[in-house]
Amino acid sequence: MSGVELSVLMVTYNAAAHAERTLRALTGPAAPSMPFEILVSDNGSTDGVADIVDDVAGSGTVKRLGRNTGFAYGVNRAAERASGRYLLLLNPDAEPKPGAIDALVAHLRANPADGIAGGRTLDVTGRLEPRSCFGRITPWSLTCSALGLAVLLRGSRIFDPESLGGWARNSVRHVDVVSGGLMLLSRELWDRLDGLDEAFHIYGEDQDLCRRARDLGCRPSITPSCEVVHDVGASSAGDVASRDVLVLAGRAGVVQRHLGRWRRYGLFMMRFGVAVRALAERVLRRRSRWALVWQRRAQWESGWPGTRVSS
């Protein structure tokens, strides 16, 4: 029987510098005190990150998938090799602070009914980076987003509900969704949920997983005693638009799967919101971020193909 208590699961795709820092932290000052293993799926990187993983974490740590398979697929392949009682999904750009992982595991051990646990993310300057958790997508949150209320009244509990208000992630709290970039759950629950849904190529899979866990009676939670540093890089307008397309495809997939009779309304509001932003850019003669997203709407407006619900 394996003596491994924790399996750290990571997916890499051309993230050599980030992955090296995170892996050196995991094998150095931020190493868990319990027996653990690191399992990495590499999605066809061309920057040598797979070699770095082998050098830092040991031969056999990385499985080279040879192509960009998506986040959910990569995590599931890593989980298939895992032998730990607990599974920690960790992004390569999320460097844990010393003691962070021990604190996260201790939190879930003390609150097993929560099922899923996450922590607090900071940017490289030490400021809060709030995307370690968020509220679920609802018809109301989609309406607020489409009408721009979530931007104009950012942080409002009413008009920006997915942001969870002004909460600084500095207290233990139950949340709707724990980010897949820092997510701990037991192997038992993972198996009951059958892992991440691979229909979500990237984005949306964590919301889908947390919703399915809630259906089983779990109450995902956050503990501030676990902190990681998330290194978010700057992007050009074109790169931002490409990321928007992926994010919107994930959100539309969640709408398809989980909004039931509100599904068509939710998808309409997503299209409406992007169209309004694209029009505003044209009127104000600003850079064409949302215009590019609108031009590529066929790639996101119905969600990832496997998430689409037939009429």
Side-chain angles (χ1 to χ4, degrees):
M1 185 174 180
S2 171
V4 174
E5 184 73 2
L6 174 71
S7 298
V8 181
L9 312 181
M10 186 180 297
V11 178
T12 54
Y13 180 66
N14 291 335
H18 289 141
E20 182 172 9
R21 284 196 296 270
T22 297
L23 289 169
R24 291 199 182 282
L26 282 171
T27 56
S33 61
M34 67 203 75
F36 75 102
E37 62 184 356
I38 301 171
L39 299 164
V40 178
S41 293
D42 181 68
N43 275 335
S45 299
T46 57
D47 65 347
V49 64
D51 294 329
I52 290 173
V53 172
D54 276 339
D55 288 343
V56 176
S59 178
T61 297
V62 62
K63 181 174 183 178
R64 304 172 192 234
L65 300 179
R67 59 187 177 89
N68 189 358
T69 63
F71 179 75
Y73 182 93
V75 170
N76 285 351
R77 299 295 79 75
E80 289 172 351
R81 299 188 286 142
S83 55
R85 179 184 173 191
Y86 293 97
L87 304 181
L88 174 65
L89 281 60
L90 186 69
N91 275 0
D93 58 358
E95 180 182 342
K97 289 189 172 184
I101 296 176
D102 281 347
L104 186 59
V105 174
H107 171 74
L108 190 57
R109 281 174 173 164
N111 303 278
D114 291 2
I116 296 174
R120 191 169 187 259
T121 53
L122 308 172
D123 65 20
V124 292
T125 69
R127 297 179 60 183
L128 174 69
E129 202 284 308
R131 288 178 287 183
S132 66
C133 59
F134 40 95
R136 68 187 184 278
I137 296 171
T138 65
W140 175 243
S141 74
L142 292 166
T143 300
C144 292
S145 177
L147 298 179
L149 297 175
V151 175
L152 293 173
L153 300 169
R154 193 180 301 278
S156 166
R157 289 172 181 255
I158 297 175
F159 298 108
D160 185 19
E162 292 182 37
S163 73
L164 304 178
W167 174 47
R169 280 60 170 166
N170 56 0
S171 60
V172 173
R173 182 181 294 191
H174 293 293
V175 297
D176 290 329
V177 184
V178 171
S179 169
L182 175 63
M183 175 190 286
L184 179 72
L185 70 167
S186 69
R187 179 71 199 223
E188 179 185 5
L189 178 59
W190 177 268
D191 289 341
R192 288 180 68 193
L193 295 169
D194 199 25
L196 295 176
D197 188 334
E198 294 173 17
F200 292 87
H201 184 75
I202 188 172
Y203 299 118
E205 68 287 308
D206 44 12
Q207 179 142 184
D208 172 74
L209 186 80
C210 288
R211 282 176 176 262
R212 290 189 283 120
R214 279 185 166 273
D215 289 342
L216 295 178
C218 298
R219 301 182 66 197
S221 63
I222 289 292
T223 174
S225 57
C226 170
E227 289 189 336
V228 303
V229 177
H230 185 204
D231 188 359
V232 183
S235 299
S236 67
D239 290 334
V240 171
S242 294
R243 180 182 180 276
D244 289 335
V245 168
L246 298 176
V247 171
L248 287 167
R251 287 176 64 81
V254 172
V255 171
Q256 289 272 26
R257 283 287 180 83
H258 296 287
L259 258 61
R261 63 188 179 91
W262 289 97
R263 174 171 56 88
R264 291 183 179 178
Y265 173 81
L267 296 174
F268 168 78
M269 292 308 294
M270 289 183 64
R271 289 190 290 268
F272 177 79
V274 172
V276 168
R277 286 164 173 77
L279 179 61
E281 282 179 343
R282 185 173 182 179
V283 171
L284 298 174
R285 297 182 180 180
R286 293 182 176 177
R287 63 177 187 170
S288 299
R289 170 185 174 182
W290 292 106
L292 291 172
V293 175
W294 179 252
Q295 290 170 11
R296 296 172 61 182
R297 62 190 179 277
Q299 299 175 32
W300 58 261
E301 63 181 352
S302 296
W304 297 112
T307 65
R308 297 170 188 173
V309 178
S310 58
S311 301

